[in-house]
Amino acid sequence: MNKSRLEQILNAYGADSHYWPEHEKAEALALIRTMDDLDEDSQTLKQQFEHAQQLDIHLAKNQVPDADLAKLKMRVVSAVRLQSSEPKFIAEPNYDLLDRLLDWFIPNQTEKLWQPTFAAALTLIAGILIGSSLPKSVSMDEELYYENEIYLLGLSAESVEVSYE
Amino acid sequence: MITALQAGDVTAYEQLVSTHLQPINRYIRRMLGYQANETDDLTQEVFLKLWHKSSQFNPDKAILTTWLHQLARNLCIDHFRRNKNWHLLDSEGAEPVAESETEPDSLLGSVRSAEHIQAAIQSLPERQRSALILCHYQGLSNKQAADILDTSVEALESLLSRARSNLKQRLAVTST
């Protein structure tokens, strides 16, 4: 602690040591006690101390009238009580099975869209797997029969065109 | 207590309100000027934030009173902005005070009413006013006040010195 620091403390916190930084208080008070009145620096500090004291007296006059704290507390707490008593989640109504199934497939929330997507993808994969695993159901004779049918249909179409001409 | 509050315990909340309501209300009253009608609304808003945002409070990093003062200060700044009280927000632009022929310090000895002092404090820029209120009237340590103002202790001391110097000048000028 030196005179310069004491001057800073007086300028910032005033003359009342109650407001001074706790860790510097003892040293600052000790320095004040040892100050020599004849010393020029000490005279300046003493003057600053008195000016700071005058401002402190004025600041002490400024007392704020308290609000009606009991009323204010009731207002603050009841606002929170009211909010905390409201149910945070809407109770789920008693859905029947069809509703639950529809809800699962067509959800209201966009973040649940994976459900119908997953169901559609699963159906597609199952279809492909079933389709590829089935034995070929059309025999060679039937295949030939169909080809002949298509050929004959083609011929009849050509004959119609010729008759028009 | 904080853990209980964060778990949604209304009784814990009520106890915390009892402890902190008066200092927070006083801080807001001093910041706004105690005639302002909005002081109780802002106080309520601070404590609603305490309820809704308690999960954001970390007791390892700050103490509750500091956090509440920070909330209160931010709400006061919002209030000044809403009401376009820009002069109350200007941190560095303290209005120049006309030079008095008499030494300001000597004029401090004359009688000043509480209203004069309050008006002089109200005319200080927001950061200077807040620094003075937090250290002088709210009884907070310089470290706590610096945390609330989001600054260093050295910067806080500079704000306090300027606040006191401006006050001396303003009180001197109003007496002439």
Side-chain angles (χ1 to χ4, degrees):
Chain A
M1 179 62 59
N2 53 32
K3 286 177 180 173
S4 164
R5 177 60 190 150
L6 180 59
E7 194 181 336
Q8 283 176 355
I9 289 173
L10 288 174
N11 287 336
Y13 302 100
D16 188 345
S17 62
H18 171 75
Y19 299 109
W20 295 356
E22 205 56 47
H23 65 285
E24 292 177 299
K25 198 184 282 186
E27 283 183 44
L29 286 169
L31 183 64
I32 287 173
R33 278 194 295 270
T34 57
M35 275 197 307
D36 181 4
D37 281 351
L38 300 172
D39 179 11
E40 199 181 318
D41 284 349
S42 300
Q43 285 285 355
T44 316
L45 267 176
K46 200 178 169 189
Q47 216 171 23
Q48 278 184 327
F49 186 87
E50 281 164 10
H51 293 157
Q53 217 167 19
Q54 283 182 328
L55 184 60
D56 287 343
I57 292 166
H58 286 296
L59 288 175
K61 284 182 196 166
N62 183 32
Q63 294 305 319
V64 171
D66 269 330
D68 186 346
L69 289 175
K71 195 174 155 189
L72 185 58
K73 187 190 164 187
M74 195 185 285
R75 182 177 150 187
V76 167
V77 174
S78 58
V80 162
R81 278 195 190 280
L82 191 72
Q83 286 179 16
S84 64
S85 64
E86 285 169 5
K88 285 187 179 174
F89 304 102
I90 297 161
E92 201 171 313
N94 194 14
Y95 288 134
D96 61 20
L97 186 66
L98 185 65
D99 285 336
R100 280 171 186 275
L101 204 64
L102 278 172
D103 260 6
W104 197 87
F105 277 110
I106 312 159
N108 289 326
Q109 293 123 314
T110 47
E111 64 263 29
K112 284 189 176 175
L113 275 176
W114 65 269
Q115 290 174 348
T117 314
F118 176 71
L122 202 67
T123 316
L124 183 70
I125 292 164
I128 291 167
L129 285 174
I130 293 165
S132 62
S133 64
L134 281 176
K136 215 169 185 179
S137 57
V138 183
S139 65
M140 285 298 284
D141 289 345
E142 281 175 327
E143 204 169 313
L144 198 61
Y145 169 77
Y146 291 135
E147 277 178 9
N148 285 337
E149 281 288 311
I150 291 163
Y151 177 70
L152 286 172
L153 279 170
L155 275 181
S156 64
E158 269 177 28
S159 63
V160 171
E161 279 172 16
V162 169
S163 67
Y164 276 124
E165 281 170 5
Chain B
M1 191 79 82
I2 297 296
T3 317
L5 171 72
Q6 287 171 337
D9 185 344
V10 181
T11 315
Y13 173 75
E14 206 173 330
Q15 282 176 1
L16 288 169
V17 170
S18 298
T19 312
H20 296 279
L21 187 67
Q22 190 180 46
I24 293 300
N25 185 250
R26 277 187 179 173
Y27 171 72
I28 293 171
R29 278 173 169 249
R30 286 194 188 277
M31 285 296 285
L32 264 59
Y34 49 76
Q35 282 87 8
N37 298 321
E38 298 89 350
T39 52
D40 288 358
D41 292 343
L42 289 189
T43 307
Q44 183 175 359
E45 219 171 312
V46 170
F47 286 96
L48 280 176
K49 277 183 189 285
L50 168 67
W51 175 254
H52 290 295
K53 297 189 172 181
S54 61
S55 58
Q56 291 177 11
F57 173 68
N58 184 352
D60 297 333
K61 286 186 178 173
I63 57 169
L64 189 61
T65 187
T66 309
W67 193 64
L68 288 173
H69 275 90
Q70 264 173 347
L71 291 177
R73 179 174 173 251
N74 290 338
L75 286 170
C76 287
I77 291 172
D78 288 346
H79 172 83
F80 297 141
R81 284 190 182 133
R82 265 200 311 274
N83 293 292
K84 297 185 168 52
N85 292 331
W86 305 116
H87 66 287
L88 296 176
L89 282 171
D90 185 9
S91 58
E92 293 303 319
E95 293 159 36
V97 179
E99 286 293 325
S100 168
E101 283 181 13
T102 327
E103 181 63 31
D105 287 324
S106 65
L107 287 161
L108 282 171
S110 57
V111 178
R112 295 281 179 281
S113 67
E115 286 75 26
H116 271 117
I117 316 290
Q118 173 64 20
I121 293 172
Q122 278 299 112
S123 70
L124 292 173
E126 187 275 324
R127 282 174 75 78
Q128 289 179 27
R129 185 164 73 252
S130 220
L132 185 82
I133 293 170
L134 292 169
C135 287
H136 195 86
Y137 293 111
Q138 296 298 104
L140 298 176
S141 71
N142 54 2
K143 176 76 178 73
Q144 289 171 337
D147 284 347
I148 292 164
L149 293 171
D150 195 22
T151 192
S152 63
V153 171
E154 291 75 24
L156 171 87
E157 287 186 351
S158 166
L159 281 170
L160 285 169
S161 296
R162 277 183 282 150
R164 290 179 69 93
S165 167
N166 279 331
L167 272 182
K168 279 181 196 172
Q169 289 188 354
R170 276 152 215 245
L171 290 171
V173 166
T174 52
S175 76
T176 53

